[in-house]
Amino acid sequence: MSGPLAGVMVLDLTRVLSGPYCTMMLADLGARVIKVEPPGGDDSRHFPPRTGGDSAYFMAFNRGKESIALDLTAPADRAIFERLLTTADVMVENFRPGVLDKLGYGPAVLAERWPTLILASLSGFGQTGPDRGRMAYDLLIQAMGGVMSLTGEEGGGPARVGTSLVDIGSGMFLWPGILAALVERRGGAPARRVEVAMLDSQVAMLEHAMMRAQAGDPPQRLGARFPTASPVDAYRTADGALVLACPMPRHFAAAAAVLGHPEWVDDPRFVDNAARLANQAALKAAIEAVMRERTTAHWDAAFAAAGVPCGPVRNMADLLADPQLTAREMLLPMAGFRVAGNPMKLSGLAAPDAASAPTLDQHRAALLAEFGA
């Protein structure tokens, strides 16, 4: 493997999304990631959509890994697993707290038998606290972590963010912790345990909502509207919608000129940000009355040329046709699909091979031969 993590060996006991996303990032950076799956495979191998006989969902988050299927309750497979542990630098798992102990590979056992091994754990609520044993899925954490109280149309009910925000976010928090532990261990320090909770990750991404709630201004669902600046919203056009982001007076002045209403900057209702927030419904109606006369493409070009931050509201088909993403190697081909590339761009490091996800137990013979198990 090439890349800055070449020579690092990771045992990946994770499944579905949060953990596999974390270990995929490590593989993209050159780590050798051996996916240790139960005999039936990672649950996500059975998720739609499919390409041929394989799950495109699984393939999208497990590129660059090797696979071996092991039953960690069977003595023969445990012996194989322990040979892998002897060589590994990192073990990543996303079992519920306590499962590793039941398998006989709890933190104390690992620290005693394999003292240089970094144990990285991802769970719903963390390894400590009264909720540590609760089951968790992305949607549950979006609900319990407060984000569903912020998401949706104004006056509407709870809404899920349209992607698995918590799964991806917690995986993104875990792998930098692993890198930090690796750097520290190479300096001679003992191996650490790294752990991330999905709930903690969601709370860390709440931005200013927590402060506003404590300042007596509890945030509410606002649709696409931003709570502290106006106009910052999605506005309907003749054929779709365009987001305008005008947090600064110069942005609003430029937008008003593009819309043919430079007098808005002196209108008492819109004269400053506080006034625009107080009259945001009237301002949105005035903006949309003009923008509905022309297409999204027209307004996008006009506002961009005037220095107004803007962007069209695109669907997935639009996104997959974006030349900017193609130029950035963010749309990688994979057996009839295109999947997201790695947003980290390191000079000299090639884009990952999106079609390199392993079949179940694909590397068993090679790994047994290599590790003498």
Side-chain angles (χ1 to χ4, degrees), residues 248-269:
M248 306 301 292
R250 66 180 183 275
H251 297 142
F252 177 61
V258 169
L259 291 164
H261 288 279
E263 75 279 2
W264 284 351
V265 297
D266 297 315
D267 188 315
R269 299 173 300 166

Side-chain angles (χ1 to χ4, degrees), residues 118 176-186 189-194:
I118 294 167
I178 293 171
L179 296 188
L182 283 168
V183 170
E184 185 181 45
R185 194 195 65 177
R186 286 180 175 177
R192 287 186 186 268
R193 183 180 192 182
V194 182

Side-chain angles (χ1 to χ4, degrees), residues 31-351:
R32 182 183 187 183
V33 177
I34 300 173
K35 189 172 180 69
V36 179
E37 303 184 63
D42 184 326
D43 292 342
S44 68
R45 286 189 180 275
H46 309 289
F47 291 0
R50 307 195 74 80
T51 172
D54 299 313
S55 164
Y57 186 103
F58 173 87
M59 293 176 69
F61 301 108
N62 287 281
R63 62 178 177 244
K65 304 178 186 180
E66 302 168 59
S67 171
I68 185 169
L70 297 175
D71 178 355
L72 296 184
T73 67
D77 281 3
R78 289 172 67 89
I80 296 169
F81 180 59
E82 291 179 10
R83 294 297 296 267
L84 295 173
L85 282 172
T86 300
T87 305
D89 297 288
V90 182
M91 186 176 92
V92 187
E93 58 91 15
N94 63 349
F95 297 119
R96 272 196 291 169
V99 170
L100 276 184
D101 291 289
K102 290 179 181 178
L103 290 171
Y105 298 111
V109 172
L110 293 175
E112 179 180 353
R113 296 185 61 186
W114 297 280
T116 62
L117 180 74
I118 294 167
L119 172 60
S121 299
L122 199 158
S123 61
F125 297 89
Q127 304 298 316
T128 57
D131 288 336
R132 65 185 293 270
R134 289 186 65 150
M135 294 185 66
Y137 285 101
D138 183 277
L139 178 62
L140 301 180
I141 302 299
Q142 286 195 31
M144 297 178 69
V147 75
M148 289 180 70
S149 73
L150 310 174
T151 305
E153 289 300 317
E154 192 165 1
R160 171 186 175 270
V161 175
T163 187
S164 296
L165 175 73
V166 185
D167 278 328
I168 297 294
S170 55
M172 290 177 66
F173 280 119
L174 185 60
W175 71 261
I178 293 171
L179 296 188
L182 283 168
V183 170
E184 185 181 45
R185 194 195 65 177
R186 286 180 175 177
R192 287 186 186 268
R193 183 180 192 182
V194 182
E195 70 120 338
V196 166
M198 294 168 67
L199 181 63
D200 297 352
S201 300
Q202 176 62 89
V203 170
M205 293 187 284
L206 286 176
E207 197 199 352
H208 67 300
M210 292 177 65
M211 282 72 79
R212 289 184 58 212
Q214 295 171 80
D217 180 26
Q220 306 294 323
R221 298 182 189 92
L222 299 174
R225 182 162 64 88
F226 197 68
T228 59
S230 180
V232 181
D233 203 341
Y235 299 91
R236 286 171 289 185
T237 68
D239 62 350
L242 183 83
V243 166
L244 292 179
C246 302
M248 306 301 292
R250 66 180 183 275
H251 297 142
F252 177 61
V258 169
L259 291 164
H261 288 279
E263 75 279 2
W264 284 351
V265 297
D266 297 315
D267 188 315
R269 299 173 300 166
F270 312 141
V271 70
D272 57 25
N273 187 59
R276 292 191 292 273
L277 283 170
N279 295 283
Q280 62 84 23
L283 179 56
K284 183 167 186 174
I287 291 173
E288 287 190 333
V290 180
M291 289 183 63
R292 283 184 167 188
E293 298 174 356
R294 306 294 291 270
T295 65
T296 300
H298 167 83
W299 292 118
D300 187 41
F303 285 122
V308 178
C310 64
V313 178
R314 301 192 295 194
N315 58 30
M316 290 301 102
D318 297 330
L319 195 71
L320 289 167
D322 185 3
Q324 174 68 17
L325 293 177
T326 300
R328 297 283 298 165
E329 297 183 312
M330 282 303 298
L331 298 174
L332 304 179
M334 182 200 73
F337 290 85
R338 280 176 291 168
V339 298
N342 194 319
M344 293 180 293
K345 309 300 182 187
L346 277 68
S347 59
L349 186 64

